[in-house]
Amino acid sequence: MGASREQFGSRLGFILAAAGSAVGIGNLVGFPVGAAKNGGGAFLVMYALFVFFICLPVMIAEMTTGRASQKDPLGAYTALSNASPGWRLAGWLSIITPFMIAVFYLVITVWIFGYLVESVLGNLDVLAQADTFGAFISGNSLFAYMAGVLALVYLILQGGVKEGIEKAAKILMPALFFMLLVLVVFVLTRDNAFAGVEYYLVPDFDKINAGVVNGALSQAFFSLSLGMGIMVTYGSYIDKKANLPTSAKLVALTDTAVAFAAGLMILPAIFSFNPNVNPDELSESSISMIFSYLPQIFLELQNSLGYVGASIVASLFFLLVFFAAITSLVSIFEVPVASLMSEKNYSRKGSLLLCGALLVIFSLMCAFSFGFFDFFSNFMHYAGSSKSFFDLVYDVFYDTILPLNGLLICLFVRYRWKKKGFNEELEQGAPSFKGSLLERYINFSVGTFIPFILFVIFINTVALKFFGTALIG
Ligand code: PHE
């Protein structure tokens, strides 16, 4: 190895950075509405079980692989498999996937940034109009907002692991928790708020079917930033004295707590600000919730708080979502950047500039999918409908490849790297973990039913997304 590897400065910094990655748009909007529509309390319990029994072992496997190898995902697969070509392929997949997810996640973050700026400037009334979103995503102001987001990501990542990623997480995450708390308290003290709480929490077991179970597990998996090489990369920045199982538990707990709290903000807000809401018509798509529906809900607040009051609440909300999105974007973009640095010995700056240039090109192709150029708007045709370039990237990388990557890392740690190396690494910094029930559970689950379940999800998604027939659901 050349220069010694960059490291997080503290265990708390590591946990906040990993939690910053995990807490994203999915937690703040996707989870609450998905939970409310799919069985309320019943969904919540199922989701929590999935997080702790299925996703947590995968997260621990990823972090351990990173720390043991002290390398990026490609380097980790290569080093721990003695350069087996098959596993190198898995390594490639786990750096291409985060790059491609960063491509479309950047576009969504840019939209959020735009909505934040517009609501701060007092344009909430415009945002609440039905055709604003369509015009915004195909308008030229988008490029200015994109430049702003890229500059911020560059600024954070060029500071490196400790002075960039960790410092940003230490500022942005507490601010995010605080804003979430303020908004939850504000919303819960409005009239009619408890109708939303009821809709969110009362269990309805009749709504649980195979499709909902599949959806809950996929949501948990994405929400914890698994299958993206992120936890491998962040794991490689932590020292051998850190207790990995405990850190992973804290990250999973924080992510789940934020998702749960977001439900106590979004649903009561919908019910309280607009009492005529028909809950069955709520869209589960985070995108249409954030950009088309919620601005209207915020505008309703002007009846009680005045326009300025409503704009302040909306701005706080968009700032919250923006912080969540930017910490996720930084974490996912760090994967290809770190890989180029260690595989090709690039400097951080050189690697950032090269990956950044590619990111801009692909992200523009995604942004162009929304009415700029027909070529990108109708890029391909599959499963009976026309798909844009954005849809293609989303379907292939976000929906399909993530569970495959999760499956591969499980098989890798258990059958290629082997139980002994994996356990030894896990036990470092966690002496009481040795021989514990959790250790035995992880060893068993990672080698058996977790990869099996991820395999079923992968096959089901391929059937559904590309052939239009669901095997389950
Ligand atoms: N965990 C994020 C969420 O819940 C998903 C994500 C993380 C997406 C990192 C991209 C990058 O929204």
Side-chain angles (χ1 to χ4, degrees), residues 19-28 47 98 101-102 104-105 219-226 228 230 255 324-325 327-333 398 402:
S21 171
V23 171
I25 303 165
N27 298 61
L28 295 179
Y47 179 87
I101 291 179
F104 84 80
Y105 209 78
Q219 165 82 18
F221 197 79
F222 303 145
S223 188
L224 292 181
S225 296
L226 302 178
M228 310 185 193
I230 297 172
D255 187 67
T327 44
S328 295
L329 185 59
V330 160
S331 74
I332 202 156
F333 196 49
Y398 196 72
L402 286 194

Side-chain angles (χ1 to χ4, degrees), residues 166-226:
E166 181 171 350
K167 217 175 208 169
K170 279 186 163 167
I171 298 168
L172 298 178
M173 291 313 285
L176 183 148
F177 298 142
F178 179 71
M179 286 190 285
L180 183 60
L181 193 71
V182 168
L183 283 170
V184 168
V185 171
F186 170 75
V187 169
L188 287 181
T189 49
R190 303 287 102 190
D191 290 345
N192 208 32
F194 277 83
V197 177
E198 203 182 317
Y199 184 64
Y200 178 40
L201 295 182
V202 171
D204 179 355
F205 288 95
D206 290 345
K207 290 215 177 117
I208 306 285
N209 56 35
V212 171
V213 174
N214 187 356
L217 182 54
S218 304
Q219 165 82 18
F221 197 79
F222 303 145
S223 188
L224 292 181
S225 296
L226 302 178

Side-chain angles (χ1 to χ4, degrees), residues 39-338:
F43 181 95
L44 295 179
V45 172
M46 183 171 71
Y47 179 87
L49 292 175
F50 285 158
V51 166
F52 288 96
F53 288 103
I54 297 184
C55 298
L56 184 64
V58 180
M59 182 185 279
I60 291 177
E62 291 199 6
M63 287 179 177
T64 312
T65 306
R67 190 177 67 172
S69 61
Q70 294 287 300
K71 284 189 171 20
D72 64 290
L74 175 58
Y77 270 112
T78 310
L80 299 177
S81 73
N82 296 326
S84 129
W87 286 114
R88 258 184 87 76
L89 211 60
W92 273 107
L93 210 53
S94 58
I95 53 177
I96 294 171
T97 310
F99 176 80
M100 292 310 287
I101 291 179
V103 162
F104 84 80
Y105 209 78
L106 170 66
V107 177
I108 300 175
T109 309
V110 168
W111 296 342
I112 292 168
F113 183 53
Y115 268 52
L116 167 64
V117 173
E118 293 298 326
S119 49
V120 170
L121 292 178
N123 296 328
L124 179 61
D125 52 347
V126 180
L127 297 183
Q129 285 163 17
D131 46 7
T132 297
F133 183 54
F136 176 75
I137 61 177
S138 57
N140 290 336
S141 60
L142 203 67
F143 303 109
Y145 292 126
M146 187 181 268
V149 173
L150 283 169
L152 190 59
V153 171
Y154 181 83
L155 215 68
I156 295 175
L157 285 183
Q158 66 105 29
V161 175
K162 195 168 159 188
E163 293 301 317
I165 299 174
E166 181 171 350
K167 217 175 208 169
K170 279 186 163 167
I171 298 168
L172 298 178
M173 291 313 285
L176 183 148
F177 298 142
F178 179 71
M179 286 190 285
L180 183 60
L181 193 71
V182 168
L183 283 170
V184 168
V185 171
F186 170 75
V187 169
L188 287 181
T189 49
R190 303 287 102 190
D191 290 345
N192 208 32
F194 277 83
V197 177
E198 203 182 317
Y199 184 64
Y200 178 40
L201 295 182
V202 171
D204 179 355
F205 288 95
D206 290 345
K207 290 215 177 117
I208 306 285
N209 56 35
V212 171
V213 174
N214 187 356
L217 182 54
S218 304
Q219 165 82 18
F221 197 79
F222 303 145
S223 188
L224 292 181
S225 296
L226 302 178
M228 310 185 193
I230 297 172
M231 296 302 165
V232 179
T233 308
Y234 277 14
S236 74
Y237 298 144
I238 189 82
D239 65 81
K240 300 275 182 192
K241 285 194 225 85
N243 184 324
L244 283 183
T246 304
S247 306
K249 273 189 246 171
L250 286 172
V251 174
L253 203 64
T254 309
D255 187 67
T256 309
V258 169
F260 179 73
L264 294 176
M265 165 183 73
I266 297 281
L267 291 149
I270 294 173
F271 279 79
S272 165
F273 305 172
N274 182 2
N276 305 322
V277 68
N278 173 4
D280 292 333
E281 279 171 16
L282 292 181
S283 161
E284 247 170 72
S285 136
S286 302
I287 305 285
S288 63
M289 278 298 289
I290 301 178
F291 301 106
S292 304
Y293 189 76
L294 288 177
Q296 293 172 34
I297 292 289
F298 289 128
L299 193 61
E300 298 284 339
L301 257 187
Q302 65 180 341
N303 300 328
S304 54
L305 291 186
Y307 187 69
V308 174
S311 299
I312 292 175
V313 175
S315 304
L316 200 61
F317 172 78
F318 283 115
L319 190 63
L320 171 76
V321 184
F322 181 62
F323 280 7
I326 205 87
T327 44
S328 295
L329 185 59
V330 160
S331 74
I332 202 156
F333 196 49
E334 171 68 8
V335 180
V337 169

